[in-house]
Amino acid sequence: MSAFVSLFLSSLDTYSERRFDLHIPIFKLKEKIELITGIPVGNQQLAIYNDDADLQPTKVLDDDQRSLGFYTPTDFQILKVVDTNPSTTLTGQLTDLTGVEKFELSDEQYALRQDSVLAYKQRQKVGRFSEKTQSTPAPVVTPDIPIGSRCEVESTEPGLHKRGTVRFVGTTEFVSAGGVWVGIEYDEPMGRNDGSVDGKRYFTCAPKFGVFVRPDKVRVGDYPVEDPFEEEEM
Protein backbone atom coordinates (compact mmCIF):
# COMPACT_ATOMS: atom_id res chain seq x y z
CA MET A 1 0.00 0.00 0.00
CA SER A 2 1.35 3.42 -0.91
CA ALA A 3 2.41 5.70 1.94
CA PHE A 4 1.38 8.77 -0.05
CA VAL A 5 -1.91 10.15 -1.31
CA SER A 6 -2.58 12.67 -4.12
CA LEU A 7 -5.18 15.30 -3.18
CA PHE A 8 -6.50 18.49 -4.75
CA LEU A 9 -5.69 21.21 -2.19
CA SER A 10 -8.37 23.91 -2.34
CA SER A 11 -8.61 27.28 -0.57
CA LEU A 12 -10.14 30.65 -1.39
CA ASP A 13 -7.03 31.72 -3.32
CA THR A 14 -5.38 28.45 -4.40
CA TYR A 15 -6.19 25.14 -6.12
CA SER A 16 -3.48 22.61 -6.90
CA GLU A 17 -2.74 18.88 -6.92
CA ARG A 18 -0.43 17.81 -4.07
CA ARG A 19 1.02 14.58 -2.67
CA PHE A 20 1.01 14.09 1.09
CA ASP A 21 2.54 11.47 3.39
CA LEU A 22 -0.26 9.49 5.05
CA HIS A 23 1.81 9.31 8.25
CA ILE A 24 2.09 13.08 8.68
CA PRO A 25 0.29 14.46 11.78
CA ILE A 26 -2.46 16.96 11.06
CA PHE A 27 -0.60 19.77 12.84
CA LYS A 28 2.41 19.17 10.59
CA LEU A 29 0.12 19.02 7.55
CA LYS A 30 -1.26 22.44 8.50
CA GLU A 31 2.27 23.85 8.63
CA LYS A 32 2.83 22.68 5.03
CA ILE A 33 -0.52 24.07 3.96
CA GLU A 34 0.31 27.47 5.45
CA LEU A 35 3.33 27.70 3.12
CA ILE A 36 1.06 27.00 0.14
CA THR A 37 -2.07 29.00 0.99
CA GLY A 38 -0.81 31.68 3.39
CA ILE A 39 -3.48 30.70 5.94
CA PRO A 40 -1.99 30.46 9.48
CA VAL A 41 -2.13 27.09 11.22
CA GLY A 42 -4.45 28.41 13.92
CA ASN A 43 -6.95 29.66 11.34
CA GLN A 44 -7.16 26.47 9.29
CA GLN A 45 -10.23 24.24 9.19
CA LEU A 46 -9.58 21.12 7.09
CA ALA A 47 -12.10 18.76 5.52
CA ILE A 48 -12.10 16.14 2.76
CA TYR A 49 -14.68 16.16 -0.05
CA ASN A 50 -15.30 13.74 -2.89
CA ASP A 51 -16.21 16.51 -5.37
CA ASP A 52 -16.12 20.30 -5.70
CA ALA A 53 -19.91 20.37 -5.81
CA ASP A 54 -20.38 18.44 -2.56
CA LEU A 55 -21.95 20.45 0.27
CA GLN A 56 -20.98 18.05 3.05
CA PRO A 57 -17.45 16.68 3.65
CA THR A 58 -16.72 12.98 3.95
CA LYS A 59 -14.26 13.63 6.79
CA VAL A 60 -13.40 16.61 9.01
CA LEU A 61 -9.74 16.67 10.08
CA ASP A 62 -10.40 17.99 13.58
CA ASP A 63 -7.72 16.21 15.63
CA ASP A 64 -4.27 17.75 15.19
CA GLN A 65 -2.56 14.76 16.83
CA ARG A 66 -3.96 12.20 14.42
CA SER A 67 -2.17 11.28 11.21
CA LEU A 68 -3.60 12.08 7.79
CA GLY A 69 -3.97 8.34 7.16
CA PHE A 70 -6.35 8.03 10.14
CA TYR A 71 -8.98 9.82 8.03
CA THR A 72 -8.49 7.32 5.14
CA PRO A 73 -8.26 9.81 2.24
CA THR A 74 -8.13 8.38 -1.27
CA ASP A 75 -6.34 9.66 -4.36
CA PHE A 76 -7.82 12.74 -6.05
CA GLN A 77 -10.26 13.65 -3.31
CA ILE A 78 -10.41 17.37 -2.42
CA LEU A 79 -8.78 18.73 0.74
CA LYS A 80 -10.53 22.05 1.42
CA VAL A 81 -8.93 24.66 3.68
CA VAL A 82 -11.23 27.24 5.26
CA ASP A 83 -9.76 30.40 6.84
CA THR A 84 -11.78 30.81 10.05
CA ASN A 85 -10.49 34.35 10.66
CA PRO A 86 -9.60 35.99 7.30
CA SER A 87 -9.33 39.48 8.81
CA THR A 88 -6.04 38.48 10.50
CA THR A 89 -4.29 37.09 7.40
CA LEU A 90 -2.79 38.82 4.40
CA THR A 91 -4.77 36.72 1.90
CA GLY A 92 -7.95 37.36 3.84
CA GLN A 93 -7.35 41.11 3.95
CA LEU A 94 -6.90 41.13 0.17
CA THR A 95 -10.24 39.40 -0.42
CA ASP A 96 -12.33 40.72 2.50
CA LEU A 97 -13.87 44.01 1.30
CA THR A 98 -16.31 44.53 4.17
CA GLY A 99 -14.15 47.25 5.71
CA VAL A 100 -13.51 49.15 2.47
CA GLU A 101 -15.39 52.43 2.05
CA LYS A 102 -16.90 52.60 -1.41
CA PHE A 103 -17.01 55.64 -3.68
CA GLU A 104 -20.15 55.54 -5.77
CA LEU A 105 -21.58 57.62 -8.60
CA SER A 106 -25.00 57.39 -10.19
CA ASP A 107 -25.16 56.51 -13.89
CA GLU A 108 -26.19 60.10 -14.67
CA GLN A 109 -23.25 61.59 -12.70
CA TYR A 110 -20.79 59.21 -14.32
CA ALA A 111 -22.07 60.05 -17.83
CA LEU A 112 -21.38 63.76 -17.22
CA ARG A 113 -17.71 63.27 -16.31
CA GLN A 114 -15.16 64.01 -19.03
CA ASP A 115 -12.26 62.18 -17.35
CA SER A 116 -13.91 58.75 -17.32
CA VAL A 117 -13.31 55.64 -19.39
CA LEU A 118 -16.80 56.07 -20.86
CA ALA A 119 -15.96 59.59 -22.11
CA TYR A 120 -12.66 58.34 -23.58
CA LYS A 121 -14.43 55.52 -25.46
CA GLN A 122 -17.00 57.95 -26.80
CA ARG A 123 -14.30 60.35 -28.10
CA GLN A 124 -12.13 57.56 -29.57
CA LYS A 125 -15.09 55.52 -30.85
CA VAL A 126 -13.94 52.43 -28.99
CA GLY A 127 -15.99 49.36 -28.07
CA ARG A 128 -19.74 49.81 -28.41
CA PHE A 129 -19.14 53.35 -29.71
CA SER A 130 -17.04 52.16 -32.65
CA GLU A 131 -18.35 52.11 -36.18
CA LYS A 132 -19.93 48.77 -36.90
CA THR A 133 -18.09 46.68 -39.47
CA GLN A 134 -18.75 43.22 -40.82
CA SER A 135 -16.24 40.89 -39.20
CA THR A 136 -15.42 37.33 -40.16
CA PRO A 137 -14.83 35.00 -37.22
CA ALA A 138 -11.44 33.36 -37.16
CA PRO A 139 -11.53 29.72 -38.25
CA VAL A 140 -11.12 27.09 -35.54
CA VAL A 141 -8.01 25.01 -36.19
CA THR A 142 -8.45 21.41 -35.04
CA PRO A 143 -5.20 19.80 -33.82
CA ASP A 144 -3.99 16.50 -35.24
CA ILE A 145 -5.14 14.40 -32.29
CA PRO A 146 -7.20 11.42 -33.52
CA ILE A 147 -10.20 10.25 -31.52
CA GLY A 148 -9.44 6.90 -29.90
CA SER A 149 -5.67 7.43 -29.78
CA ARG A 150 -3.69 6.68 -26.65
CA CYS A 151 -2.15 9.67 -24.92
CA GLU A 152 -0.40 11.04 -21.85
CA VAL A 153 -1.40 14.34 -20.23
CA GLU A 154 1.24 16.72 -18.88
CA SER A 155 1.50 16.60 -15.07
CA THR A 156 3.20 18.91 -12.57
CA GLU A 157 3.68 15.97 -10.20
CA PRO A 158 7.08 14.24 -10.72
CA GLY A 159 6.68 10.59 -11.64
CA LEU A 160 2.91 10.80 -12.06
CA HIS A 161 1.74 9.51 -15.45
CA LYS A 162 -1.75 10.57 -16.49
CA ARG A 163 -2.56 8.20 -19.32
CA GLY A 164 -5.78 7.57 -21.15
CA THR A 165 -7.67 7.58 -24.43
CA VAL A 166 -8.76 10.59 -26.52
CA ARG A 167 -12.57 10.70 -26.64
CA PHE A 168 -13.29 14.25 -27.86
CA VAL A 169 -11.54 17.04 -29.80
CA GLY A 170 -13.29 20.32 -30.54
CA THR A 171 -14.91 23.45 -29.16
CA THR A 172 -17.04 23.45 -26.00
CA GLU A 173 -19.72 25.55 -24.35
CA PHE A 174 -18.18 25.70 -20.85
CA VAL A 175 -15.44 28.30 -21.57
CA SER A 176 -16.27 31.75 -22.91
CA ALA A 177 -12.72 32.15 -24.26
CA GLY A 178 -13.45 29.44 -26.84
CA GLY A 179 -10.77 27.47 -28.58
CA VAL A 180 -10.28 23.73 -28.91
CA TRP A 181 -10.34 21.29 -26.00
CA VAL A 182 -9.36 17.63 -25.83
CA GLY A 183 -11.56 15.27 -23.82
CA ILE A 184 -9.62 12.42 -22.21
CA GLU A 185 -10.86 9.22 -20.57
CA TYR A 186 -8.15 8.42 -17.99
CA ASP A 187 -7.10 4.86 -17.21
CA GLU A 188 -7.50 5.65 -13.51
CA PRO A 189 -10.03 7.80 -11.58
CA MET A 190 -7.93 10.96 -11.55
CA GLY A 191 -10.29 13.09 -13.66
CA ARG A 192 -12.90 15.72 -12.88
CA ASN A 193 -16.10 14.50 -14.62
CA ASP A 194 -17.79 11.77 -16.65
CA GLY A 195 -17.38 13.44 -20.04
CA SER A 196 -20.07 16.07 -19.40
CA VAL A 197 -19.81 19.64 -18.08
CA ASP A 198 -22.71 21.85 -16.95
CA GLY A 199 -25.24 19.35 -18.29
CA LYS A 200 -23.66 19.16 -21.77
CA ARG A 201 -22.25 15.76 -22.73
CA TYR A 202 -19.18 15.60 -24.97
CA PHE A 203 -18.29 11.92 -24.44
CA THR A 204 -19.17 9.14 -22.01
CA CYS A 205 -17.02 7.54 -19.33
CA ALA A 206 -17.22 6.58 -15.66
CA PRO A 207 -17.33 9.40 -13.04
CA LYS A 208 -13.88 10.82 -12.14
CA PHE A 209 -12.32 9.31 -15.29
CA GLY A 210 -13.04 12.26 -17.62
CA VAL A 211 -11.10 15.51 -18.06
CA PHE A 212 -10.79 18.34 -20.60
CA VAL A 213 -7.36 19.85 -21.35
CA ARG A 214 -5.83 22.10 -23.97
CA PRO A 215 -4.14 20.35 -26.92
CA ASP A 216 -0.65 21.52 -25.93
CA LYS A 217 -0.93 19.46 -22.71
CA VAL A 218 -1.54 16.20 -24.63
CA ARG A 219 1.09 13.86 -26.07
CA VAL A 220 -0.23 11.20 -28.43
CA GLY A 221 1.69 7.95 -28.77
CA ASP A 222 2.01 4.31 -27.78
CA TYR A 223 1.22 4.69 -24.07
CA PRO A 224 0.11 1.32 -22.63
CA VAL A 225 -2.08 1.05 -19.57
CA GLU A 226 0.21 0.99 -16.53
CA ASP A 227 -0.03 -1.79 -13.95
CA PRO A 228 -0.15 -0.10 -10.50
CA PHE A 229 1.25 -3.28 -8.91
CA GLU A 230 4.10 -3.77 -11.36
CA GLU A 231 6.76 -2.17 -9.11
CA GLU A 232 5.69 -4.35 -6.17
CA GLU A 233 6.34 -7.65 -7.99
CA MET A 234 9.57 -9.50 -7.20
Side-chain angles (χ1 to χ4, degrees), residues 161-201:
H161 298 157
K162 295 183 176 182
R163 293 183 177 180
T165 304
V166 177
R167 299 300 186 195
F168 170 86
V169 179
T171 58
T172 65
E173 297 178 4
F174 57 79
V175 176
S176 59
V180 174
W181 290 83
V182 181
I184 308 292
E185 180 182 2
Y186 279 143
D187 297 335
E188 300 180 58
M190 60 179 66
R192 304 300 302 279
N193 53 60
D194 62 352
S196 65
V197 179
D198 296 334
K200 171 71 173 180
R201 181 161 298 281

Side-chain angles (χ1 to χ4, degrees), residues 42-60:
N43 289 11
Q44 294 179 27
Q45 185 179 79
L46 306 181
I48 294 175
Y49 291 76
N50 285 326
D51 191 87
D52 284 324
D54 289 350
L55 298 179
Q56 296 295 329
T58 59
K59 297 288 177 61
V60 176

Side-chain angles (χ1 to χ4, degrees), residues 6 18 49 66 69 82 193:
S6 293
R18 301 281 175 169
Y49 291 76
R66 296 283 191 180
V82 174
N193 53 60

Side-chain angles (χ1 to χ4, degrees), residues 1 5 7 22 48 59 67-75 77:
M1 180 177 178
V5 62
L7 300 174
L22 289 170
I48 294 175
K59 297 288 177 61
S67 68
L68 176 60
F70 172 80
Y71 296 97
T72 62
T74 58
D75 282 340
Q77 284 186 309

Side-chain angles (χ1 to χ4, degrees), residues 72-89:
T72 62
T74 58
D75 282 340
F76 311 113
Q77 284 186 309
I78 298 168
L79 176 58
K80 287 191 177 181
V81 189
V82 174
D83 189 347
T84 60
N85 191 8
S87 63
T88 64
T89 63

Side-chain angles (χ1 to χ4, degrees), residues 27-214:
F27 73 90
K28 284 288 187 183
L29 175 64
K30 288 182 176 181
E31 291 176 0
K32 289 180 175 291
I33 290 175
E34 180 177 3
L35 299 176
I36 300 170
T37 66
I39 302 174
V41 170
N43 289 11
Q44 294 179 27
Q45 185 179 79
L46 306 181
I48 294 175
Y49 291 76
N50 285 326
D51 191 87
D52 284 324
D54 289 350
L55 298 179
Q56 296 295 329
T58 59
K59 297 288 177 61
V60 176
L61 284 57
D62 52 3
D63 189 342
D64 286 352
Q65 301 307 314
R66 296 283 191 180
S67 68
L68 176 60
F70 172 80
Y71 296 97
T72 62
T74 58
D75 282 340
F76 311 113
Q77 284 186 309
I78 298 168
L79 176 58
K80 287 191 177 181
V81 189
V82 174
D83 189 347
T84 60
N85 191 8
S87 63
T88 64
T89 63
L90 177 59
T91 55
Q93 292 171 6
L94 292 175
T95 55
D96 184 7
L97 303 179
T98 57
V100 178
E101 184 178 353
K102 297 180 180 178
F103 174 74
E104 297 181 348
L105 286 174
S106 67
D107 292 341
E108 292 77 12
Q109 290 173 319
Y110 182 69
L112 293 174
R113 297 181 67 101
Q114 296 302 308
D115 58 350
S116 65
V117 174
L118 176 64
Y120 173 82
K121 288 184 175 181
Q122 289 174 329
R123 290 194 298 269
Q124 302 298 323
K125 299 186 183 302
V126 177
R128 60 190 175 96
F129 302 107
S130 63
E131 297 179 358
K132 303 301 181 183
T133 57
Q134 192 73 22
S135 60
T136 302
V140 176
V141 179
T142 302
D144 185 17
I145 301 179
I147 301 295
S149 58
R150 292 289 298 170
C151 67
E152 186 169 276
V153 178
E154 179 181 311
S155 174
T156 57
E157 188 72 25
L160 179 62
H161 298 157
K162 295 183 176 182
R163 293 183 177 180
T165 304
V166 177
R167 299 300 186 195
F168 170 86
V169 179
T171 58
T172 65
E173 297 178 4
F174 57 79
V175 176
S176 59
V180 174
W181 290 83
V182 181
I184 308 292
E185 180 182 2
Y186 279 143
D187 297 335
E188 300 180 58
M190 60 179 66
R192 304 300 302 279
N193 53 60
D194 62 352
S196 65
V197 179
D198 296 334
K200 171 71 173 180
R201 181 161 298 281
Y202 299 93
F203 64 94
T204 300
C205 67
K208 295 290 185 180
F209 280 75
V211 71
F212 290 87
V213 297
R214 290 297 192 184

